[in-house]
Every structure is written in structure tokens, then in C-alpha cells.
């Protein structure tokens, strides 16, 4: 009667429901073991999660570093392309000796064509050729022939500029002819 209070309650229970001290201890030990296992599992899960997060952070750092390197390489590639383009433009801009000779010959031929056109116009108009009077027309004819030749020899911006000068000098030549023979 003066035993533990648990024993009192045990006696009141039917025999099938009675749990002995040993069974309770075993149950408590199993509960402790289960809790320990749960704590260990949580620790392992936390460690795995932290490891995964570290892996993600490292991967993110690597990705950002690769992006920076890619951007840096792209900038370097652009700089290299610009340098190559500059070198190519320099090599293209330097005319060879043959090109210089061709340019001088072209210039002289155009100048001769301008004066030849002035002489031809004076002959057709039955007017005596006066170099001072026909000089503006001769220069316009020179500009016309030179710019027309450059229009066919070059490409790009030079071609457009040469075409514009060709048309302007043609218009000026027509006006000059009207002035000479009014």
C-alpha cells in the first residue's frame, strides 16, 4: 500500500493492460533512442542542406566569375577587332607607288579633258578661245571628269561624295555655258 503511486494504478488495471516497470523503461529508452535518432537525422539534414547551400553559393560565385571573364574577354575581343580594323585601314589607306602614279596620270588627263572641253565648246560656238574667259568652264569640266572617274573607282562614302561633286559640276558647267553664249 505504501508503494509507488504507479503501482497502485497498475493494480487497478486489468492484467492485459498492466505495464511493468521494465516495459516502461524499455519504452522510455526506445523513445529516447527515437528522439536521438530524430536529432541525428535533423543534424544530417541540416548538414546536407548547408552543404548544398555552400555548393550553390560556390556555383553562383563561379557563374558570376565566368560572366565577368566573358564580359572582359568580349571587351578585349572588341578592342582587338578595333585594332585590327585600324591596322587594316592604315594598310588600305597607304597607296602604293603604282597607285600614286595612276592618280597623277588621272589628274593630268582630267585637267587636259577640262581644257579640251573648253576648247571644243569655243570651236563649236565659233568664239575665239580666251583662256581667262573659258577658265571657269575648264575647271568645272575638270572637276566633272575627275569626280566621275572617282565615282567609278571607289566605293562607300567616297563614291557618294564623288557622285555629288559630279552632278554639281555638271550643273555648274551648264550654267557657265549659258553665261558664255547668251
Amino acid at each position: 500500500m505504501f508503494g509507488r503511486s504507479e503501482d497502485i494504478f497498475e493494480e487497478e488495471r486489468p492484467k492485459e493492460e498492466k505495464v511493468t516497470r521494465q516495459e516502461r523503461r524499455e519504452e522510455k529508452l526506445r523513445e529516447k533512442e527515437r528522439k536521438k535518432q530524430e536529432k541525428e537525422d535533423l543534424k544530417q539534414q541540416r548538414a546536407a542542406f548547408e552543404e548544398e547551400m555552400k555548393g550553390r553559393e560556390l556555383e553562383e560565385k563561379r557563374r558570376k566569375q565566368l560572366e565577368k571573364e566573358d564580359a572582359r574577354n568580349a571587351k578585349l575581343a572588341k578592342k582587338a577587332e578595333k585594332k585590327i580594323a585600324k591596322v587594316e585601314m592604315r594598310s588600305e589607306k597607304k597607296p602604293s607607288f603604282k597607285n600614286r602614279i595612276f592618280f597623277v596620270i588621272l589628274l593630268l588627263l582630267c585637267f587636259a579633258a577640262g581644257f579640251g572641253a573648253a576648247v571644243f565648246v569655243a570651236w563649236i560656238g565659233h568664239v575665239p578661245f580666251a583662256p581667262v574667259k573659258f577658265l571657269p568652264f575648264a575647271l568645272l569640266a575638270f572637276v566633272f571628269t575627275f569626280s566621275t572617274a572617282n565615282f567609278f573607282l571607289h566605293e562607300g562614302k567616297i563614291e557618294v561624295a564623288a557622285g555629288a561633286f559630279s552632278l554639281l559640276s555638271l550643273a555648274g558647267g551648264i550654267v557657265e555655258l549659258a553665261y558664255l553664249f547668251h
Side-chain angles (χ1 to χ4, degrees), residues 103-116:
F103 179 75
V104 170
I105 291 172
L106 179 68
L107 201 61
L108 291 174
L109 285 174
C110 291
F111 197 68
F115 271 101

Side-chain angles (χ1 to χ4, degrees), residues 118-135 180-181:
V119 170
F120 182 71
V121 166
W123 179 69
I124 287 181
H126 303 290
V127 177
F129 180 74
V132 174
K133 185 177 180 183
F134 282 93
L135 183 65
L180 287 173
F181 297 110

Side-chain angles (χ1 to χ4, degrees), residues 6-179:
E6 298 162 358
D7 293 336
I8 296 172
F9 293 116
E10 275 186 37
E11 291 174 4
E12 294 175 3
R13 290 187 192 166
K15 285 189 176 181
E16 294 105 25
E17 292 181 18
K18 286 186 182 177
V19 180
T20 63
R21 283 186 205 169
Q22 185 66 23
E23 289 174 347
R24 269 187 264 139
R25 283 184 192 157
E26 288 174 3
E27 184 66 32
K28 285 182 182 178
L29 283 174
R30 277 187 247 136
E31 186 68 27
K32 283 183 182 179
E33 198 61 39
R34 189 180 55 78
K35 286 182 180 180
K36 270 186 181 179
Q37 188 64 34
E38 285 179 359
K39 284 183 181 179
E40 190 64 34
D41 289 346
L42 282 174
K43 283 182 183 179
Q44 288 176 356
Q45 288 175 353
R46 188 174 294 138
F49 178 74
E50 289 175 358
E51 188 68 31
E52 186 177 333
M53 291 306 291
K54 285 180 183 178
R56 286 183 184 177
E57 288 174 2
L58 288 174
E59 188 64 34
E60 185 69 22
K61 285 180 182 178
R62 284 187 207 129
R63 187 183 59 79
K64 286 182 181 178
Q65 186 177 9
L66 288 174
E67 287 176 356
K68 286 180 183 178
E69 288 178 6
D70 288 345
R72 192 177 313 127
N73 289 339
K75 286 180 183 178
L76 291 175
K78 285 182 182 179
K79 286 182 181 179
E81 287 176 9
K82 287 181 181 179
K83 286 182 181 179
I84 290 171
K86 283 182 182 178
V87 169
E88 288 177 353
M89 297 237 345
R90 286 179 191 160
S91 64
E92 288 177 7
K93 287 182 180 178
K94 291 182 180 179
S96 66
F97 182 73
K98 290 180 182 179
N99 286 345
R100 289 179 183 172
I101 295 295
F102 174 73
F103 179 75
V104 170
I105 291 172
L106 179 68
L107 201 61
L108 291 174
L109 285 174
C110 291
F111 197 68
F115 271 101
V119 170
F120 182 71
V121 166
W123 179 69
I124 287 181
H126 303 290
V127 177
F129 180 74
V132 174
K133 185 177 180 183
F134 282 93
L135 183 65
F137 179 75
L139 290 176
L140 285 169
F142 161 71
V143 171
F144 175 75
T145 55
F146 186 73
S147 61
T148 304
N150 278 323
F151 176 79
F152 290 109
L153 291 176
H154 295 285
E155 294 179 0
K157 292 181 181 179
I158 295 175
E159 179 184 26
V160 172
F165 276 111
S166 180
L167 292 176
L168 287 174
S169 61
L170 180 65
I174 292 170
V175 170
E176 187 64 31
L177 282 176
Y179 176 72

